[in-house]
Structures are given as C-alpha cells and as structure tokens.
Amino acid sequence: MSKPIDNRALILLRYVLVVAVILLVAGAIIRQLVENTLVNADKWNERASREMSTTKTIIPQRGNILAADGSILATNLNFYTARLDYRAEKFNERTFRDSVDALSNALADKFPRRTAQEWRAHLLKPLDLPKEKRPRAWKLMDGLTHADKATVRSLPYFRRKSGNRTGLTFDQYMTRFNPYGNMAKRSIGRVGMTKESDEIHGRSGIEKALDSLLYGKSGVTRKVQVTKDIADMADRPAIPGCDVVTTIDINMQDIVENELNNVLDSCGADWGLAILMDVHTGDIKAISNLEQNLDKTGYIEALNRAVQRFEPGSVIKTLSMMIAVEDGIVTDLDEVLETGRGWAYAGGRPITDAHASMSIRVRDVIEQSSNIGMARIITRKYDSNPGGFYSRIKQTGFLEPLNTGIAGEVTPHIDSVGIRDGGRIALSRQCYGYATEIPPIYTLALYNAIAGGGKFVRPRLVQRLKGSIDSVIPVDSIGRGRVCSTRTAAIMREMLTRVVWGDHGTGRFLRNDLVRIAGKTGTCYMIENGQYNTAKKRLAFCGFFPAENPKYTCMVLTCHPKKNFFGAATTSGQVVRNVAMKLYSRGLLDNSSDYATGSLSTQGPTFFASTDADQYARYKKPFGLPSGKSLKGPEPAAPARGVVPDVRHLDIREAVAMVEEAGFEVSVAGSGFVRSQSPSPGSKAKTGTTVAIVLGR
C-alpha cells in the first residue's frame, strides 16, 4: 500500500522555489542597478547626455508663389501613397482572396489607372511568394489627395476599422503643386534636392531666384524629459517662407500662351518666346516659352530664353537710331543717305539691304529696316573711335543687370575689346544687329523706355513679398533713369509706328481696325558650327500698343519656321497683333469692349497720319533741323501765350506740352486722343487758367 502524499510539504516546496526565483531576480536587478548607478555610471551618464543633446532640423513651410491677383501659381500640398502590408498581424489571406474581385472592380471604377483585371493581378501578385517573403509595404498607388485617401478606405475589404486586419497603410508626403499646370511654368520654376543638400530648394525660375525667401528659416528641436518618455521640443521654431506675389496676370498669361502656341503651330517653328510688359511699372504681365515636342505633336513649356543671349537682328536698330537722334549724329530727318546696291565699309564684305534702293531718308531707315542707312549714320561719328559706340551704349544703362527675378539672367555681350582694337567692320555690323548678343528681356526694356517717353524702367517679375518680411518691390529705373529725352522718344515712336503704318513699312501685315501697333521687325540667321546657316532664321518683333498712348510692350521670338509664314511680321509680329486684339476685345486697353462703338481706320493711325506737319515742326527746333520742306502742309506757329491752343485730335503728351507752353494748367479725363477741350481753341484766358481736356477714341 502506497504512502499518502504530504500536501503541506509539496506546497511548502513550491513556496520555497518561488521565493528563491524572486530572490534571484531581485538579486540580478540589484546587481544591475549597482552596475548602472555606481560601476558604469559615467558611461550611462554620457549616453544620456548624448541622447538629450541630439537635435533635429525642422523644415519650414515653403512659401507660395502667387499671381498679381492672389491666384496661386505654386503651393505645397500633402499627397499620400497607399500601401498593403501582407504580413500584418491580423491579415487573413482567405478573406482577402474572397474580397479581391469586388475590391478590383471598385478600384477600377474609382481609380481607372488600371483595369479591373490589372488591379486583381496587382493585388494577388505578392501572394505568390512564401509568407515570410511577402512585402510589408506593397505599393498600390501614389499621388492621392486627402479625398482620394478617404475613398480608398471606403472600398470593399478596406472598410474594416482595424488596419491590422486589411494591411492598408498610407505614407504622407508633401510636394510642390502648380494649379495652373504648365502656365508660365518655366518662369515660376521647379524645386528639388540639390547637390549641396537633400532638402528641397528651388532649382529654376522664381523658385531658384528667390529660394532664400521662399524657403524660410529652418528650426531646431531638442530632447526633453517628460513623465513617461523623452520627447522632441522646438528649441528654435521654423520660420515659414514668404509668399511671393508675382506680376503675372492670369488672363493675359492665358492669352499670350495661346496666341504664341497658335502661331508656332501654324508655321511649324522649333520654339518661340513671348513677353508682355506694362509700360509704366515694368511689370511682366505674361511670359511664355514654348518648344516643339520631340514627336512633333505640339508645343510644351521649355527653357526660359527670355534671359538668354541671342543676336538680336534688326530690332536693335532702334537703339542705334535713338543714340543717333539723341546725340545729334543726325540733325535733319529728311537728309538723304546714299545706299545703292551695297556698301563696302572699311574693306569688309559689302553691307546690303533686303529691299535695295539707291537712296533713303534718315526718317525712313527704321521703317524700311535699312542696314546700309543705319551703318552710314553710326560710322559717321564712330569711324575713328569704334569703341566709343560701346561706351555710349553703356551710358544708357542698357548693359546693367536687370535683376528681374528670373533665374539664369545674363547681361548683353558686346565685344568692346574687339571694337577698340580697330574693329570698324564689327562696329558697322553691330549697329544693325549682328556681332552682338542681347537677351530678349533687354530689348523689351529698351522699347518700353521709348514707349514710356524715355524712362528706362526695370522689368520685374516680383511685385511684393508677404510673410515674415512684408515688403513691396518698388518700381525701379535702370542706369540714369532715362535712356533718352522725351523728344527723342517721341521721334522714335513715330519711326516705329511707320514700320506698321508707313507705305513701305516692314510690318504692314500687322495693321488692324482695333489697335494701333508700333514696333520693329528683326531677322537673324542662326549660327551653327561657328557659321551662319542661311536656311534657318530667328525672327523677332518688339513693339508697343496702342501706339498713340502705349500701355503694353511686347517682345516675341520665333525660331526656324518651316511652313505657311516665314517673315518676322507674319510670325512674331502676328503674335503681338493677336495679343493686342484679344486684350482690346476684353476691355483691357482702357477701352470699352463694345464693338458697336466703331473701329479704327486701316489707312493709318490718326495721330501720325493727320498731324505729320505738326510733329515734324515741333521737333525741328530741338534738333537744329533746317526750315526746309515738311512732310505735309506748312509749319504751324508756336502757341501764343494767353491764347488757348487747338489740341484736338492730338495724343495726351502733345496736348499737354502745347497747353503748358501757352501758359495754362491742364486737367485730363478719359484715354486716347483729345476729343474736346474747354475753353475753346483760340480764346483768350489768363495765364494759369486750367484747360480741361477730354480724351476718346
């Protein structure tokens, strides 16, 4: 018979074992505590100090880029990438396989980037692997918005509350977003990591030029001890970047891009550039750079060529003629210059004209774009000192940095060393557009100065900054503030208007019934392998409108057209004309957009056609012109003091000048030409009396 078990002894034995284990564990804890607090205290204190001193950089919120009206051109948006964890704790393969058809159909319906069959194959592919090798972050799709994220969670199988059951996860990331797509994208620019840093910085356009302002200032975190953990706390908060308000007008940008694209498409050009600028403020209202797709199927936003150097062609004759008029190199606009079939100056290759004639008047050189005429005028003064022409151009401020806010901007290049080294032949070519390299934005600024009465306003793409440093970018002048006198500017405006409205103007194609355009055509052969390729042309038109009261200046380049249109006026000039007419039709030229009010005459601008005699007479005296034959009619007498002059049908500049010369004050209402005045013409009034002028079209 077996001996009964002593339960008390068994229980006691168990207690002894439990107590022994507890004592052993306690001993180990006490031993480890002694080691950590006494033996290895220095090591742990050093590690704690190192951990507590760890800092992290806080990336600031990048500022937005805005249009002039506050519309967002570039901003930061959060996007999500959806992923599946096929080794999630409660992921059930059988349930997933049973739901995959419904899930695939729903994904194809909401996110048709794949068909239902393609979604099904994509979802099941990881299940072909052994369980231990299945991915924990299988990518479903990226670029999801917050609304898309909610949609994914509402789909069959993903509706479950616990993510561990479905394996669905989302990675959040921030990206730079352009709400208007490619509109002015090259000027706005792009962001990305740089060689110097893995942080996101501007890489082109405004994003790069103003990166320090848009980026803001990074912050720093430090470790702090909280109740149950060590947490990060901002030691120096990040300062968000400033919002940059550009001068871009969304409506005008849309017009310019569409008109440039239409003309490029119709003539099959390689690329094109168009810039629209406000005459008085220098605000760049629109800028577009389009380049033909590699597959020749259309045009896309391309390299920003507005700030790159090109040989300008004949558009630069305006600068040469302006200097000649301003400095008295020509004193008689009716002086006849011999041209012939060619002119071999300084033993070089004969200079020729596209429209050859035996002679030409000074006033017709720009209208007919005469290379010979322009070279004869400039070499008249600078023949013995070719470097003097470069120095004179430099005096105007034309070679100074513009600082427009466009990344990659360069200054014009004129080889002054070559000129000073006896470069008479180079001088004769430079004055009509060859042997120089000028960015289109500089040509635009020059024409804008002429349109604005001689004031050289700096083009700008940034209007103001909003944020930690609120500031307004002032309207700034280039150089001495003036490129020429108001009288010279008026004469140049007349010459440029005749390019379109004169009987022999190279821009006659641009005449229309709505907006008077003034400007200059330019053609330049392209250089390939160090030589001119006469089969490829770069065609330019730079001008302003309305000619009688300029509001906008526009520069267009068209490179190598291959069909339909091959001239500067019919390609680049056509873009300017179409933009002007679109602005007019939308009432953006200080006009009524009601076509029922009438239209302009195609015979030529009223100001220059009906008052040539007045214009000629008014500018004869300052230039010392002889009292010879005027264009039309007798020379009118200067306004008598105390007698109200007749200023009807004149533009505002001329009207104000005549009224003030007669000793009166002026008040102006409206826009366009003088339609009426009070007191009436010829009446006598006291000096200082205000003459009220009403303008109209």
Side-chain angles (χ1 to χ4, degrees):
M1 186 173 181
S2 61
K3 189 177 181 180
I5 299 175
D6 188 348
N7 289 333
R8 291 183 59 189
L10 184 60
I11 292 172
L12 183 61
L13 178 61
R14 290 177 179 174
Y15 274 118
V16 169
L17 291 174
V18 169
V19 170
V21 170
I22 292 174
L23 290 175
L24 288 173
V25 171
I29 292 173
I30 292 171
R31 179 176 178 278
Q32 190 65 42
L33 181 64
V34 170
E35 286 188 2
N36 290 342
T37 57
L38 297 176
V39 179
N40 297 322
D42 292 342
K43 183 183 74 172
W44 287 107
N45 288 336
E46 180 185 353
R47 182 174 177 179
S49 176
R50 186 168 64 250
E51 180 68 22
M52 294 297 289
S53 63
T54 300
T55 61
K56 291 183 180 179
T57 300
I58 305 174
I59 304 300
Q61 178 83 3
R62 191 172 182 84
N64 300 319
I65 298 178
L66 310 173
D69 64 355
S71 301
I72 295 176
L73 298 177
T75 189
N76 306 302
L77 288 183
N78 286 323
F79 288 91
Y80 301 88
T81 299
R83 298 183 183 277
L84 268 181
D85 181 359
Y86 287 83
R87 285 190 280 162
E89 182 180 355
K90 296 182 179 180
F91 178 80
N92 188 298
E93 180 179 341
R94 181 176 179 180
T95 303
F96 180 74
R97 287 185 181 277
D98 290 342
S99 306
V100 74
D101 288 336
L103 178 58
S104 299
N105 290 330
L107 282 167
D109 179 51
K110 299 296 184 181
F111 303 96
R113 58 186 72 180
R114 288 189 176 98
T115 65
Q117 282 72 24
E118 289 171 340
W119 273 119
R120 188 178 189 278
H122 184 72
L123 291 168
L124 293 176
K125 185 176 181 180
L127 296 180
D128 295 336
L129 300 171
K131 286 186 177 181
E132 65 276 7
K133 293 185 178 181
R134 291 173 184 174
R136 305 215 61 169
W138 181 252
K139 182 178 176 182
L140 291 183
M141 51 186 158
D142 57 11
L144 299 176
T145 65
H146 187 75
D148 294 334
K149 178 183 175 183
T151 300
V152 172
R153 281 181 166 165
S154 70
L155 299 179
Y157 179 76
F158 290 145
R159 293 175 186 157
R160 303 182 181 190
K161 293 183 179 180
S162 175
N164 282 339
R165 291 183 181 274
T166 64
L168 178 65
T169 60
F170 292 93
D171 294 338
Q172 179 179 324
Y173 61 94
M174 183 175 289
T175 190
R176 200 68 166 161
F177 181 67
N178 301 99
Y180 287 93
N182 286 330
M183 180 176 285
K185 193 169 183 179
R186 284 292 176 174
S187 298
I188 296 167
R190 61 188 181 92
V191 298
M193 291 186 293
T194 63
K195 293 179 180 178
E196 296 76 22
S197 170
D198 58 359
E199 297 174 356
I200 301 300
H201 287 279
R203 300 192 65 179
S204 63
I206 296 176
E207 297 276 21
K208 180 179 179 181
L210 302 179
D211 182 67
S212 60
L213 296 171
L214 287 162
Y215 183 79
K217 292 186 178 179
S218 301
V220 176
T221 65
R222 61 183 176 86
K223 299 289 185 179
V224 295
Q225 179 71 52
V226 293
T227 305
K228 295 183 179 180
D229 201 356
I230 295 176
D232 292 324
M233 178 177 288
D235 189 39
R236 187 181 70 240
I239 300 176
C242 293
D243 288 347
V244 173
V245 183
T246 70
T247 59
I248 295 293
D249 182 293
I250 293 297
N251 291 327
M252 295 183 185
Q253 180 70 35
D254 182 57
I255 290 172
V256 169
E257 285 193 6
N258 281 318
E259 296 308 324
L260 178 62
N261 186 86
N262 291 342
V263 171
L264 293 180
D265 189 57
S266 65
C267 68
D270 288 347
W271 56 261
L273 155 73
I275 323 170
L276 183 68
M277 174 175 166
D278 186 290
V279 168
H280 303 293
T281 64
D283 288 353
I284 297 173
K285 293 296 185 180
I287 180 169
S288 181
N289 295 270
L290 298 179
E291 187 172 279
Q292 196 171 50
N293 256 325
L294 293 177
D295 59 6
K296 312 294 182 182
T297 56
Y299 290 85
I300 58 173
E301 267 289 326
L303 183 68
N304 196 334
R305 294 181 169 89
V307 292
Q308 292 191 326
R309 296 188 186 113
F310 299 99
E311 279 193 330
S314 292
V315 289
I316 210 62
K317 287 174 184 170
T318 301
L319 173 63
S320 301
M321 181 62 80
M322 182 193 73
I323 291 174
V325 173
E326 180 80 354
D327 294 355
I329 299 174
V330 292
T331 55
D332 182 358
L333 299 182
D334 281 329
E335 177 190 353
V336 176
L337 304 171
E338 293 183 6
T339 55
R341 300 298 177 185
W343 183 46
Y345 172 72
R349 180 181 297 177
I351 302 170
T352 59
D353 286 336
H355 308 285
S357 61
M358 298 308 295
S359 63
I360 192 172
R361 293 185 305 176
V362 169
R363 68 171 61 253
D364 299 328
V365 168
I366 297 296
E367 175 184 343
Q368 299 181 35
S369 197
S370 172
N371 297 336
I372 300 173
M374 197 71 260
R376 280 193 176 276
I377 290 172
I378 292 301
T379 56
R380 178 182 298 178
K381 177 173 182 178
Y382 296 106
D383 176 76
S384 60
N385 179 26
F389 185 58
Y390 169 84
S391 300
R392 181 63 181 89
I393 293 175
K394 190 174 182 179
Q395 286 176 9
T396 66
F398 187 67
L399 305 182
E400 294 183 8
L402 293 181
N403 299 318
T404 58
I406 303 175
E409 177 187 301
V410 295
T411 56
H413 173 73
I414 299 176
D415 188 3
S416 61
V417 177
I419 292 176
R420 292 194 178 99
D421 189 23
R424 296 168 67 210
I425 295 177
L427 166 69
S428 67
R429 270 55 173 178
Q430 286 172 342
C431 68
Y432 60 81
Y434 282 84
T436 63
E437 292 181 320
I438 298 174
I441 194 75
Y442 277 82
T443 305
L444 182 76
L446 170 68
Y447 279 70
N448 194 77
I450 291 170
K455 186 178 179 182
F456 210 172
V457 179
R458 190 183 303 276
R460 63 175 188 172
L461 194 56
V462 178
Q463 189 182 93
R464 65 182 186 276
L465 304 175
K466 294 169 61 179
S468 56
I469 350 179
D470 282 355
S471 64
V472 176
I473 310 299
V475 176
D476 194 12
S477 297
I478 306 172
R480 298 170 299 174
R482 298 197 68 82
V483 69
C484 65
S485 66
T486 54
R487 290 186 176 90
T488 298
I491 287 179
M492 294 309 302
R493 286 197 303 274
E494 178 183 356
M495 289 184 179
L496 292 171
T497 302
R498 290 185 180 281
V499 170
V500 177
W501 299 95
D503 293 338
H504 304 286
T506 58
R508 299 190 302 278
F509 177 82
L510 307 181
R511 294 180 182 180
N512 67 88
D513 293 342
L514 299 177
V515 185
R516 297 181 181 91
I517 296 171
K520 182 72 185 72
T521 56
T523 302
C524 192
Y525 294 121
M526 296 175 62
I527 298 177
E528 292 184 349
N529 300 320
Q531 295 183 337
Y532 287 109
N533 184 345
T534 56
K536 291 186 177 182
K537 296 179 180 179
R538 191 169 49 249
L539 305 165
F541 185 87
C542 191
F544 45 83
F545 53 84
E548 67 277 7
N549 186 20
K551 187 171 178 63
Y552 295 108
T553 310
C554 192
M555 172 79 185
V556 180
L557 276 182
T558 305
C559 180
H560 188 33
K562 305 175 190 66
K563 60 182 181 180
N564 298 329
F565 303 112
F566 300 95
T570 55
T571 55
S572 297
Q574 185 176 177
V575 176
V576 176
R577 183 192 65 185
N578 294 349
V579 167
M581 293 173 71
K582 281 286 182 66
L583 294 179
Y584 180 90
S585 69
R586 299 189 187 185
L588 297 175
L589 296 181
D590 294 332
N591 64 290
S592 168
S593 57
D594 181 7
Y595 285 97
T597 57
S599 61
L600 303 178
S601 168
T602 58
Q603 297 305 310
T606 304
F607 168 60
F608 292 107
S610 65
T611 60
D612 279 337
D614 297 341
Q615 287 296 298
Y616 182 73
R618 206 162 284 132
Y619 294 117
K620 285 174 72 173
K621 187 174 181 179
F623 286 84
L625 303 181
S627 56
K629 181 181 179 182
S630 65
L631 292 177
K632 295 182 182 179
E635 179 180 337
R641 301 283 292 183
V643 178
V644 178
D646 185 358
V647 295
R648 290 171 299 181
H649 308 301
L650 298 183
D651 82 332
I652 185 58
R653 292 186 181 88
E654 297 310 306
V656 170
M658 288 187 67
V659 172
E660 290 180 345
E661 189 176 350
F664 303 112
E665 299 294 327
V666 186
S667 69
V668 181
S671 63
F673 302 109
V674 179
R675 295 184 60 184
S676 62
Q677 63 178 96
S678 179
S680 58
S683 59
K684 295 182 179 181
K686 293 182 179 180
T687 301
T689 298
T690 298
V691 175
I693 293 175
V694 178
L695 306 177
R697 296 181 184 277

